[in-house]
Amino acid sequence: MDLKQINQQLSKKNLKITRPRQAILEALTHASGWVTAKSLFEELAKQQANIDFSTICRNLELLSSSGILCRVDRDSNGIFAYSVREIEEHHHHLICRSCGKISPMDFCPLQELNSSQTSGYSNLECRFEVYGCCQACQGKE
Amino acid sequence: MDLKQINQQLSKKNLKITRPRQAILEALTHASGWVTAKSLFEELAKQQANIDFSTICRNLELLSSSGILCRVDRDSNGIFAYSVREIEEHHHHLICRSCGKISPMDFCPLQELNSSQTSGYSNLECRFEVYGCCQACQGKE
DNA sequence: AATATAAATGCAAGTACTTGCATTTATATT
DNA sequence: AATATAAATGCAAGTACTTGCATTTATATT
Ligand SMILES: [Mn+2]
Ligand SMILES: [Mn+2]
Ligand SMILES: [Zn+2]
Ligand SMILES: [Zn+2]
């Protein structure tokens, strides 16, 4: 998704196109991989964009919950990595513990979960991430 | 699991039976439900056990990774809740977003995950939690 | 173009750990 | 019982957000 398309999405959702938000999205669309709040803050500081850290965090959160970004707990330490969402369909992520590579998986455990395990519950959602060691990283260590 | 059994487990793993650790485990075995680092710290402070917050956090982490405690991101905000593990088998948790009730599920998505989704990866592990609204909480809101 | 209003921002303070390091303590070995 | 050593602790400082609130700004309405 490019910046123009993202801005259209924002307008549809009554989210404003502000200077800080544009700088954040510009950085995200041009980033090579995944970014963290901290790495994005540092990148934008370098550009003298003068955006507060809390503004970055709030935007990353809002853009993720709006479906514009994907969010992954890459190092399973509660520090999230973000990237522009390229896949419209619901999906989860496979993460290499060694090199940090993140790949999408279309598998969602909720579909496979026998209803007997969750009987009586409504509004089910899940958090699901798979960690492993990718082919390129095997043998390296 | 009671304190005696836990201490046997600790000895097997070359983990020491210290006064702070005993106070933490005593509180955990007597707790009615799940505790957080903060709630445990406050409980122990009330008892004038004089245990540092970092000691509590380190113990909860160690005891979880040793399989003595279960650990759940109850409010999906990265703040973990802990309780003495009563189920030996590998399992995940179902959490009510409304009342916070936590129930075990024996379902593990890794077993259902088609290997084509993770081909080339080794040492697979997953993080999986299901959130919903339990029967008792439905209609209440 | 002026006005209204809901969204967004920046700042400061707060939260919940986390880490490094010197010191203490529990257990194994002599 | 004395000694060795690896594990654990407490303290202080650091990290990565998060929240409350006054102010600013983007967009819709007049
Ligand atoms: Mn994705
Ligand atoms: Mn459990
Ligand atoms: Zn890798
Ligand atoms: Zn409930």
Side-chain angles (χ1 to χ4, degrees), chain B residues 1-17 21-22 24-30 33-35 40 58-72 81-91 93:
Chain B
M1 227 178 359
D2 68 359
L3 192 51
K4 240 177 213 172
Q5 287 174 288
I6 293 172
N7 285 343
Q8 283 169 8
Q9 298 248 328
L10 292 177
S11 296
K12 250 185 245 166
K13 291 171 205 271
N14 290 325
L15 300 175
K16 292 181 180 175
I17 294 165
R21 181 164 293 160
Q22 285 305 101
I24 289 166
L25 284 166
E26 185 96 13
L28 276 161
T29 49
H30 290 102
W34 294 66
V35 307
L40 191 52
R58 280 191 275 226
N59 269 284
L60 291 174
E61 160 70 36
L62 183 84
L63 294 166
S64 299
S65 64
S66 306
I68 288 162
L69 303 179
C70 282
R71 197 180 85 144
V72 165
Y82 301 85
S83 75
V84 173
R85 179 171 180 153
E86 302 294 351
I87 299 170
E88 270 201 69
E89 296 78 46
H90 176 74
H91 63 283
H93 299 89

Side-chain angles (χ1 to χ4, degrees), chain A residues 121, chain B residues 96-101 133-137:
Chain A
Y121 280 74
Chain B
C96 176
R97 282 196 190 284
S98 169
C99 68
K101 187 172 84 174
C133 183
C134 83
Q135 196 143 39
C137 287

Side-chain angles (χ1 to χ4, degrees), chain A residues 13 45 75 115 137:
Chain A
K13 291 171 205 268
D75 306 309
S115 65
C137 286

Side-chain angles (χ1 to χ4, degrees), chain B residues 36-106:
Chain B
T36 62
K38 191 168 174 272
S39 78
L40 191 52
F41 177 70
E42 284 163 0
E43 167 68 18
L44 291 169
K46 222 180 283 172
Q47 299 173 21
Q48 272 145 300
N50 252 77
I51 300 169
D52 196 74
F53 188 69
S54 68
T55 299
I56 290 172
C57 292
R58 280 191 275 226
N59 269 284
L60 291 174
E61 160 70 36
L62 183 84
L63 294 166
S64 299
S65 64
S66 306
I68 288 162
L69 303 179
C70 282
R71 197 180 85 144
V72 165
D73 189 357
R74 188 172 36 189
D75 306 308
S76 45
N77 60 357
I79 298 174
F80 291 103
Y82 301 85
S83 75
V84 173
R85 179 171 180 153
E86 302 294 351
I87 299 170
E88 270 201 69
E89 296 78 46
H90 176 74
H91 63 283
H92 294 277
H93 299 89
L94 172 61
I95 301 138
C96 176
R97 282 196 190 284
S98 169
C99 68
K101 187 172 84 174
I102 297 174
S103 316
M105 297 181 296
D106 61 29

Side-chain angles (χ1 to χ4, degrees), chain A residues 15-16 18-21 50-52 54-55 58-59:
Chain A
L15 300 175
K16 292 181 180 173
T18 61
R19 185 195 59 86
R21 182 163 292 162
N50 251 73
I51 302 169
D52 196 73
S54 69
T55 299
R58 281 192 274 227
N59 269 284

Side-chain angles (χ1 to χ4, degrees), chain A residues 123-138:
Chain A
N123 300 314
L124 293 178
E125 273 187 297
C126 78
R127 170 160 181 182
F128 178 54
E129 282 147 18
V130 179
Y131 297 90
C133 183
C134 83
Q135 196 144 39
C137 286
Q138 282 168 47

